[in-house]
Every structure is written in C-alpha cells, then in structure tokens.
Amino acid sequence: MGKIFDFQFMIEIIPSILKGIPFTIMIAVVGFAVGIVIGLFGALFKIYKVPVLNKLTGLYVSFVRGTPLVVQILLIYYAFPILIKLINFKFGTKIDISWIPAVVFMFIAYSLNAGAYLTESIRASILAVDKGQMEAAESVGMTMWQAMIRIVLPQAAKISLPVFANFFIGLLKDTSLAFTAAVPEIMGQAKIQAGRASRFFEAYIDAALIYWGLCIILERIVAFIEKRNKESA
Amino acid sequence: MSNVMIEMNNIHKKFGNNHVLKGVDLTVNEGETVALLGSSGSGKSTLLRCINLLETPDAGDVRINDYSFTASKINKHVKLEARRRTAMVFQNFGLFANKTALENVTEALITVRKKSKSEAIEIGRKYLDKVGLLEQANQYPSTLSGGQKQRVAISRALALDPKIILFDEPTSALDPELVGEVQRVIRKVAEEKVTMLIVTHEMDFARDVADKVAFMSEGQIIETATPSEFFTNPKNERTQKFLERYLQRFSYSI
C-alpha cells in the first residue's frame, strides 16, 4: 500500500477480469436472441391485436419498461428459490436450488427485459414496411405467414438493424448489473480482484477499458454488416 | 359463347358511412380486355380489389371462372382461392423490395404454386424476356426505373398464368415519358388474348387496347359498350358529361 495509484496492480489483474468476458457475452447473446423471439411474437400480437395476448403483451412491456433492470434482476433472483420451494412442497420433489447456476437466472432476467424493449422496436419496424408489400404478397396467393416470413420480416429486419445494434451494445453494458446476482462477469470479476487488495479504482478502470474495447469491436462488426447490406440492395 | 372469367352480381361495399359500391354487375369473358373507366372516387379500384379480396365486399356474388363465392361466406380459404386464380398489377408496382426482379417473378411460383426452383427460374426468365427485362433479372427493384418496375410486375402477373390480370391504374404513378413502354407491354399482352380488367384514366389507351369499356359512376356500372360505341356514341347522360369534360381538357392542352 501507500501508492496513490498502483499501476502494476492494474495490469496484473487484467487476465482475471478478462475471465468474466464469456459470462458477459453469454448473457448478452442469450438475452438478445431470446429477446428477439419474444419481441417478434409480442410485436405480432400487438399488430394483429390478438385477443388477450395483445393485452398481456401491453402489460408486460409496461412493467418491464417501468421498472429498473436491477430490480428485475433481484426479483428473478429471489423469486426462483421461492418458486422451487413451492414446487417441492406441492409435488414432493427435491429440487435443490443450488443446482441451478446463477447465470441461468440472468438469462431469464435479461431475456424478459430485452423482449419487452424489442417488442416495441420490432413492432415499429414491421409497421415501417410499406403496406403495399403485404398486399402484393397476398395478391399472388401467399398466406399471411408466408408473406410475413418471406417478404415483410426481412425488410423489417433491415430497417431494425441499426436499432438492434444499438440495443445489443446497450445490453452488453447492462450485463454489468449481473454481478448483483453473484455472476462472475466482467464487473463481478473486477469486484473480486478489487476486494483482494482494496484497490477498487484500478479494477474499475480495467473493467471500463474492457467494456469499451468490446463495444468498439461490436461497432466495427455492425458497420461492416450495414455496408454489406447497402450493397445488396 | 366463350368461357366466363369474371362474373360479379350485385356487389356492395361500404367504408363506414361511405357506400362505395352500390350493386355492381360485371362480366368479363375469356380473352377479353375490359377497361374500367370513371371519375375518381367512383369505386373502380374498390371493385377491382373486391375480386381478389384485398377488400371484402359486404354483399353480392363473385365467380372467377370455375370458382364461385358469396360475400357473406368469405374466409381465409376463400381469399386464398380467389387470389390464386387472379393476379394484380398495382399503381405503385408492389414489387417485393427484398427480392430481385427474377425473384419477384419466381417467388409465388415456388411458395404458392409449389414449382421446383429450376422450373420457376425457367418460367421467370421467359416472362422477364417477354417484357424485355431479362438483362435486369438480378437487379433489385430500387435500381429499376418506374417503367421497368411495372414491366416486372406485369411479368410476375403473367407468370402465374391467372384466369385474369387486374390492373389498378398501372401507369398513374409513372413519369409521362415512361407511360408508353408500359402501355406497349399491356397491349402486347392483350394481343395474346390474356384476360384483363384494367382500371385507367388514360382514355386513348382504353380506346386502343380494350375490347369492352365499362363506365362507373357513383358506385355503379352505368354503361358497358365497345370502345368505338362508347367514345363516339355514349348512351348515358353521365357518360356523355364525363367524356365532354375529358374532351374539353384535351382541347385546352392544344
């Protein structure tokens, strides 16, 4: 101790913090992928005003958008042990909550969170596709599903791409909240390392640089995909 | 008597309080080109869209060659059956923006008509060639001119080999210098005795291409005649007024 800023310590702990990357990426990717599926169904329920499901989707989106992510994470994290206790009690099973890794709860929490936001953005993208496209597809005899899958959704996806990219980058950074549920992602690892030497500032600088680096890589990938997309049409 | 391709009886359609179609009767025979004329808001496009059920009529009966349905019993299945017997050419082209010109033509052949990809491509190339766009086969619609887009749309319709092709103001969205190329293609198609129903505002074109002219006013077809009879000797008073207005506009431009 005694140093104001321990540069050597900051470098030393980088490999340990990097170990959090797989968790960070896993949570972001699973949350995003499942979120797109939820969002797609949510968007279709809303656009076609499917009875009951339309209202439920509205309630779900409103709740998720109206509560902080960290609260949602803690709710899922504490709701599950209670749910499993209830199942054990009701069905006489002996499921042990410790069998389920904490990261699984995070998959659920981030998927539900992403699903709500993506419901709204996918809905907007589908509505942004020219209405004539659906009519043209129907006029040649395609069913509504064929028209959706082959004509409307590919165009909606293209419209969505910049929104999706921004959302994914945001999601990747939001995974830093998963440490509140004891998941050893980048932020969790940084906290562990920081705690060993009580050098928090150094560890968080590492964390910041790692997130920044990941986001720069992502932005490059997105720029590449967008460029290729422009060329194809 | 030739084969009947379209027969509509007493078709009614309301949008809220707006009674757009007030009991329309229309017959189109095989190989015929029928031009549907009338002032804006007379219900021409709505009538067209009641055939392939992009609009659902409120009352009346429709027969598309071998398939009949009544307005009160329209469901998903009826819509598909009606659409699989017809094809439509839209005012705004309606080309699939995410598909190339060739894919626009082959799409429904593959997904709806269940043809193999190679067979669909063969058919697609044949019909693109017919409208003179084989060279543009792999271009996306955004890179085509309005006239080219509409020609692709026409070849897409032809490739489906429908009982009838419905044209909804096919040249209204085109720049004036592009109208000619599209009209030439439609004329060529008419010469091949493809059954067509064309909503248009282009009187000269209607006169030139149609075997029969149907005139709509206030939600009804009030006069049906051959083009020469219709343009030189209209029977109905409202038809006479309409043509007078049109001829006046013509004389102004001179």
Side-chain angles (χ1 to χ4, degrees), chain A residues 133 135-136 138 141 150 232, chain B residues 49 83-84 95 107 140:
Chain A
Q133 294 286 307
E135 280 196 344
E138 289 184 324
R150 299 190 56 91
S232 81
Chain B
R49 294 162 62 87
R83 287 168 190 163
R84 285 169 187 184
L95 291 186
E107 177 66 27
Y140 283 90

Side-chain angles (χ1 to χ4, degrees), chain A residues 114-158:
Chain A
Y117 285 98
L118 290 173
T119 292
E120 284 308 310
S121 60
I122 292 174
R123 188 177 75 101
S125 322
I126 291 175
L127 292 178
V129 174
D130 177 18
K131 204 170 145 270
Q133 294 286 307
M134 179 54 103
E135 280 196 344
E138 289 184 324
S139 81
V140 295
M142 291 164 92
T143 62
M144 198 209 84
W145 274 110
Q146 285 174 330
M148 251 305 153
I149 289 166
R150 299 190 56 91
I151 306 299
V152 176
L153 289 180
Q155 292 181 51
K158 208 167 207 179

Side-chain angles (χ1 to χ4, degrees), chain A residues 77 80-81 84 95-106 108:
Chain A
Y77 189 62
F80 260 80
I84 284 174
I95 303 167
D96 185 349
I97 185 70
S98 61
W99 293 348
I100 306 170
V103 72
V104 172
F105 300 142
M106 292 308 97
I108 296 168

Side-chain angles (χ1 to χ4, degrees), chain A residues 157 160 207:
Chain A
S160 304

Side-chain angles (χ1 to χ4, degrees), chain A residues 28-225:
Chain A
V29 168
V30 171
F32 186 68
V34 179
I36 281 186
V37 176
I38 297 175
L40 185 56
F41 280 99
L44 293 175
F45 292 157
K46 287 192 109 179
I47 288 171
Y48 289 101
K49 298 197 169 53
V50 180
V52 187
L53 292 172
N54 173 29
K55 291 272 185 269
L56 286 177
T57 306
L59 194 68
Y60 155 66
V61 171
S62 163
F63 176 79
V64 172
R65 295 214 293 188
T67 53
L69 175 58
V70 67
V71 174
Q72 294 161 19
I73 288 170
L74 293 172
L75 281 177
I76 297 268
Y77 189 62
Y78 288 106
F80 260 80
I82 293 172
L83 187 72
I84 284 174
K85 256 186 212 162
L86 194 73
I87 291 172
N88 283 344
F89 178 75
K90 280 247 164 163
F91 302 100
T93 49
K94 286 203 172 58
I95 303 167
D96 185 349
I97 185 70
S98 61
W99 293 348
I100 306 170
V103 72
V104 172
F105 300 142
M106 292 308 97
F107 289 162
I108 296 168
Y110 281 88
S111 297
L112 288 175
N113 181 268
Y117 285 98
L118 290 173
T119 292
E120 284 308 310
S121 60
I122 292 174
R123 188 177 75 101
S125 322
I126 291 175
L127 292 178
V129 174
D130 177 18
K131 204 170 145 270
Q133 294 286 307
M134 179 54 103
E135 280 196 344
E138 289 184 324
S139 81
V140 295
M142 291 164 92
T143 62
M144 198 209 84
W145 274 110
Q146 285 174 330
M148 251 305 153
I149 289 166
R150 299 190 56 91
I151 306 299
V152 176
L153 289 180
Q155 292 181 51
K158 208 167 207 179
I159 297 170
S160 304
L161 191 69
V163 181
F164 280 4
N166 267 330
F167 184 82
F168 186 76
I169 289 170
L171 186 64
L172 190 90
K173 292 182 291 185
D174 283 348
T175 57
S176 61
L177 288 172
F179 81 88
T180 53
V183 174
E185 39 65 65
I186 295 171
M187 202 56 192
Q189 294 285 7
K191 254 190 140 77
I192 293 166
Q193 297 306 322
R196 285 199 307 142
S198 289
R199 288 230 169 244
F200 287 89
F201 186 53
E202 287 85 345
Y204 291 154
I205 285 185
D206 285 340
L209 291 175
I210 292 169
Y211 280 116
W212 193 14
L214 285 176
C215 288
I216 288 173
I217 294 170
L218 268 177
E219 279 163 7
R220 287 280 161 85
I221 294 172
V222 171
F224 173 76
I225 295 172

